[in-house]
Amino acid sequence: EAQVTQNPRYLITVTGKKLTVTCSQNMNHEYMSWYRQDPGLGLRQIYYSMNVEVTDKGDVPEGYKVSRKEKRNFPLILESPSPNQTSLYFCASSPQRGFEEKLFFGSGTQLSVL
Amino acid sequence: EDKVVQSPLSLVVHEGDTVTLNCSYEVTNFRSLLWYKQEKKAPTFLFMLTSSGIEKKSGRLSSILDKKELFSILNITATQTGDSAIYLCAVYNFGNEKLTFGTGTRLTIIP
C-alpha cells in the first residue's frame, strides 16, 4: 500500500529537549515536504526536499532542521523545541515538485511542547 | 503574497442537507486549485481544478472554478455523517512552485 508514515503520532516534550519526527514514504517519490497546521493559520510549509541531499526552506523554517540522506526518509528535527512549536505536523510527498494533485500526506504528528 | 480565504469557517447542518463551501484566492501565476478533505488525520485529495466553468464531480461531491472572479465552490449534496470533516482549499503558483492553503471549513453533519 502506498503511504507516507510518520512517527510518533503524538508527542509531549519539554522546552529545549531535542526531538526528531520521522517520515518515510514507499512510493519512490523525489519530492518531500513538512507542514505545520495551526488553528486560524492553515497548513504552512516548513521545509521541502526535491531529491536526496537537496533541501530548502519553506515559509516557516525557523527552529527546524531537516535532512534527506535517503530518498525514502525525510526527518524533521527540533534542536531546542519551544512552546510556539506546539502544532500538528504533516509530512507529504509527491513524484516531483509541481505534481500537486499527487501530494500524499502522512497521518500527522501532534506535538505539544511544555 | 498568495492568499486563500475559505468561508464559512464552520458549518453545522442536518444529514440530508446540501452544503456549499467557498474558496476565494489571490495568486500570481495561478495554475490550479485543489480541494482536500481532512478528517482526524491526513488531508486526502478530492479535486484539482485548472479551467473555469468545468465541473468536477465525484459521487455527491462536485466543484467548479471561476478564474475571472477568483473563486471556487465545493458542493456536497445529501450530506451524511461521514462527510463531517475539515475541507481545505489550496492554490498552486507555478512561478514559485508553491502550494498555499486556506484555513479550512469545518463541516459538522448532525444525524
Side-chain angles (χ1 to χ4, degrees):
Chain A
E1 182 191 349
Q3 57 187 4
V4 177
T5 304
Q6 285 180 237
N7 280 298
R9 288 293 310 278
Y10 302 93
L11 180 57
I12 301 173
T13 189
V14 295
T15 299
K17 187 174 181 183
K18 181 179 177 180
L19 67 91
T20 299
V21 184
T22 63
C23 173
S24 181
Q25 50 91 6
N26 64 359
M27 295 167 279
N28 201 36
H29 283 172
E30 290 186 357
Y31 181 80
M32 297 185 75
S33 180
W34 277 103
Y35 292 88
R36 60 178 288 175
Q37 186 177 32
D38 302 289
L41 294 175
L43 278 156
R44 294 178 293 166
Q45 191 178 50
I46 304 170
Y47 267 95
Y48 64 93
S49 169
M50 292 204 282
N51 214 326
V52 176
E53 303 292 1
V54 181
T55 63
D56 209 346
K57 296 177 181 178
D59 296 317
V60 288
E62 296 78 20
Y64 304 95
K65 282 175 57 176
V66 292
S67 69
R68 188 93 181 272
K69 292 184 169 55
E70 305 164 281
K71 199 171 188 178
R72 63 183 293 124
N73 295 324
F74 190 44
L76 179 70
I77 303 154
L78 284 72
E79 294 268 3
S80 183
S82 62
N84 65 12
Q85 292 178 298
T86 292
S87 187
L88 178 58
Y89 291 86
F90 289 102
C91 181
S93 74
S94 67
Q96 291 180 357
R97 192 182 193 188
F99 279 61
E100 61 271 28
E101 75 278 19
K102 296 191 188 297
L103 191 64
F104 282 82
F105 286 87
S107 296
T109 296
Q110 181 65 60
L111 172 65
S112 295
V113 183
L114 306 177
Chain B
E1 186 179 321
D2 299 340
K3 193 174 174 184
V4 178
V5 178
Q6 293 187 245
S7 64
L9 291 179
S10 181
L11 188 56
V12 181
V13 300
H14 286 97
E15 202 167 20
D17 288 350
T18 293
V19 298
T20 298
L21 310 183
N22 303 295
C23 176
S24 64
Y25 62 90
E26 295 173 23
V27 61
T28 55
N29 304 310
F30 174 89
R31 182 164 88 183
S32 59
L33 184 145
L34 297 95
W35 285 97
Y36 295 87
K37 178 182 182 182
Q38 184 179 15
E39 296 172 89
K40 289 185 179 177
K41 42 183 182 175
T44 52
F45 173 77
L46 292 174
F47 299 113
M48 184 173 80
L49 301 137
T50 56
S51 301
S52 275
I54 298 174
E55 186 183 55
K56 291 277 182 98
K57 196 169 170 66
S58 176
R60 296 175 293 101
L61 278 68
S62 64
S63 184
I64 198 159
L65 174 69
D66 185 329
K67 288 168 73 173
K68 184 179 175 187
E69 300 298 328
L70 308 182
F71 78 91
S72 174
I73 59 172
L74 175 67
N75 279 322
I76 309 175
T77 59
T79 51
Q80 302 171 357
T81 54
D83 295 326
S84 293
I86 296 172
Y87 290 84
L88 299 171
C89 174
V91 292
Y92 191 82
N93 179 329
F94 70 81
N96 59 17
E97 297 186 280
K98 194 173 145 187
L99 195 60
T100 300
F101 286 84
T103 55
T105 293
R106 182 180 293 275
L107 176 64
T108 303
I109 310 298
I110 301 171

